[in-house]
Amino acid sequence: MEPRLEPGLSATLDYTVPEHRTVPHLLPESETFAAMPGVLATGYLVGLVEWTCMRALAPFLRADQRTLGVHVDLSHEAPTPPGSTVSIEVVLTAVEGRRLLFEVVARDEAAVVCRGTHRRAIVDLSRFESALAARDGQPSASVTADRSK
């Protein structure tokens, strides 16, 4: 029998920020990102939050299950320079069937870096891959910037 997921489950991840996880490296093809200061990028911070949640959930999943991020509501309150260590703490606060809600706080040596919530969903890998395969051949959406404004 698998262990039961219940509110109160927690996990922490300590991550030392390398240069290649800073804002200029997030989308190097974007001159806008490239011109930004070299601090931990919000996009990478979100990835660290997801990673922490996935590590917490791993012992509770069957081999044919994964969790997917479905909603992120996080602040990014302080810059973290390369070489600093950010500590991400997550606590599972709600289990609603296959939907999971985590409270999140991240700190570095100087400040609270981020706080908020993250929702994940448990999915059956084969069903997810089938749904993804069904999307093959469908046109993808593209976004273009209106530079006239």
Side-chain angles (χ1 to χ4, degrees):
M1 183 168 169
E2 297 156 10
R4 184 172 156 85
L5 268 174
E6 295 189 12
L9 173 69
S10 64
T12 301
L13 174 72
D14 293 328
Y15 184 80
T16 301
V17 178
E19 180 68 33
H20 66 274
R21 295 292 183 243
T22 61
V23 179
H25 299 277
L26 184 60
L27 289 169
E29 63 272 24
S30 164
E31 69 259 1
T32 307
F33 279 121
M36 295 295 290
V39 296
L40 177 63
T42 303
Y44 290 127
L45 179 59
V46 170
L48 293 171
V49 167
E50 290 200 87
W51 185 15
T52 308
C53 293
M54 288 187 285
R55 288 177 54 175
L57 295 169
F60 297 90
L61 302 177
R62 296 187 317 257
D64 64 335
Q65 292 180 318
R66 300 294 186 273
T67 63
L68 301 175
V70 296
H71 188 88
V72 178
D73 185 4
L74 301 172
S75 63
H76 194 167
E77 301 175 21
T80 303
S84 292
T85 298
V86 63
S87 180
I88 298 93
E89 300 170 22
V90 301
V91 177
L92 182 62
T93 59
V95 178
E96 300 162 356
R98 293 177 171 250
R99 293 182 131 349
L100 312 167
L101 177 64
F102 286 88
E103 289 288 330
V104 177
V105 176
R107 298 172 175 84
D108 64 16
E109 300 89 345
V112 170
V113 173
C114 136
R115 60 183 116 211
T117 60
H118 176 49
R119 289 187 182 274
R120 298 192 70 75
I122 299 172
V123 298
D124 293 315
L125 187 57
S126 60
R127 288 180 63 199
F128 180 80
E129 289 174 339
S130 293
L132 186 59
R135 292 182 57 130
D136 281 352
Q138 292 185 5
S140 62
S142 65
V143 177
T144 57
D146 181 353
R147 297 185 189 272
S148 65
K149 293 182 182 179

